[in-house]
């Protein structure tokens, strides 16, 4: 097995190649009634854009009490809107989806957490809350 790894040549990166790296994308399937599924294409936003978005949705007192690092009411629809490519989803539309009686909390959190994961793939550090 070592011979296989050693035989694979990996090109050395250049700054130009690194700067042209395309953002990660992910197709997320959403199950509708009667086993019908639709898909949404999401694209990760850049690190600074993610941090800025996160900073604009600080945790509420209730969120802080349970160890949250974002506002659990406002950040999820905002991130969904920022990352949705096809179809595009406005922040207002995302808020409507999150307020809809037709979506369970589990369905919403599943979609949201997949988008969080899309934006944080490759980051394997433990998170701790700080004030």
């Amino acid at each position: 097995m070592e011979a296989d790894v050693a035989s694979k040549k990996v090109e050395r990166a250049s700054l130009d190649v690194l700067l042209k790296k395309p953002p990660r994308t992910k197709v997320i399937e959403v199950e509708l009634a009667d086993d019908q599924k639709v898909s949404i294409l999401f694209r990760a936003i850049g690190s600074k854009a993610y941090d800025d978005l996160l900073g604009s949705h600080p945790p509420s007192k209730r969120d802080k009490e349970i160890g949250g690092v974002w506002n659990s009411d406002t950040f999820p629809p905002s991130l969904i809107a920022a990352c949705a490519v096809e179809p595009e989803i406005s922040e207002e539309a995302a808020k409507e989806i999150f307020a809809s009686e037709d979506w369970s909390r589990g369905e919403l959190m599943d979609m949201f957490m997949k988008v969080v994961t899309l934006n944080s793939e490759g980051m394997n550090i433990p998170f701790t809350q700080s004030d």
Side-chain angles (χ1 to χ4, degrees):
M1 179 135 82
E2 278 186 41
D4 289 341
V5 173
S7 68
K8 293 182 182 178
K9 290 227 174 208
V10 177
E11 184 178 330
R12 190 74 67 191
S14 68
L15 180 58
D16 189 47
V17 166
L18 294 173
L19 290 173
K20 291 180 181 177
K21 179 201 156 306
R24 292 178 184 259
T25 60
K26 182 175 192 116
V27 174
I28 296 174
E29 288 187 351
V30 177
E31 193 169 326
L32 303 176
D34 301 326
D35 294 329
Q36 178 187 8
K37 291 183 180 181
V38 296
S39 66
I40 305 170
L41 174 63
F42 289 98
R43 180 181 302 129
I45 57 178
S47 177
K48 181 171 177 2
Y50 187 88
D51 289 346
D52 289 348
L53 186 64
L54 187 60
S56 67
H57 297 276
S60 66
K61 181 180 177 184
R62 177 186 56 135
D63 293 320
K64 285 182 181 180
E65 288 172 357
I66 60 171
V69 295
W70 56 62
N71 185 304
S72 60
D73 294 323
T74 63
F75 183 62
S78 187
L79 183 63
I80 294 291
C83 296
V85 174
E86 197 175 294
E88 289 183 11
I89 300 174
S90 69
E91 192 162 346
E92 286 305 312
K95 287 177 184 177
E96 279 186 57
I97 292 168
F98 273 76
S100 172
E101 293 294 321
D102 297 325
W103 285 76
S104 73
R105 180 54 124 184
E107 291 169 319
L108 293 168
M109 288 299 99
D110 182 55
M111 179 171 53
F112 168 64
M113 291 311 296
K114 286 177 180 175
V115 176
V116 169
T117 300
L118 172 66
N119 280 280
S120 57
E121 285 177 323
M123 181 172 58
N124 298 318
I125 56 171
F127 289 96
T128 57
Q129 181 181 359
S130 61
D131 290 328

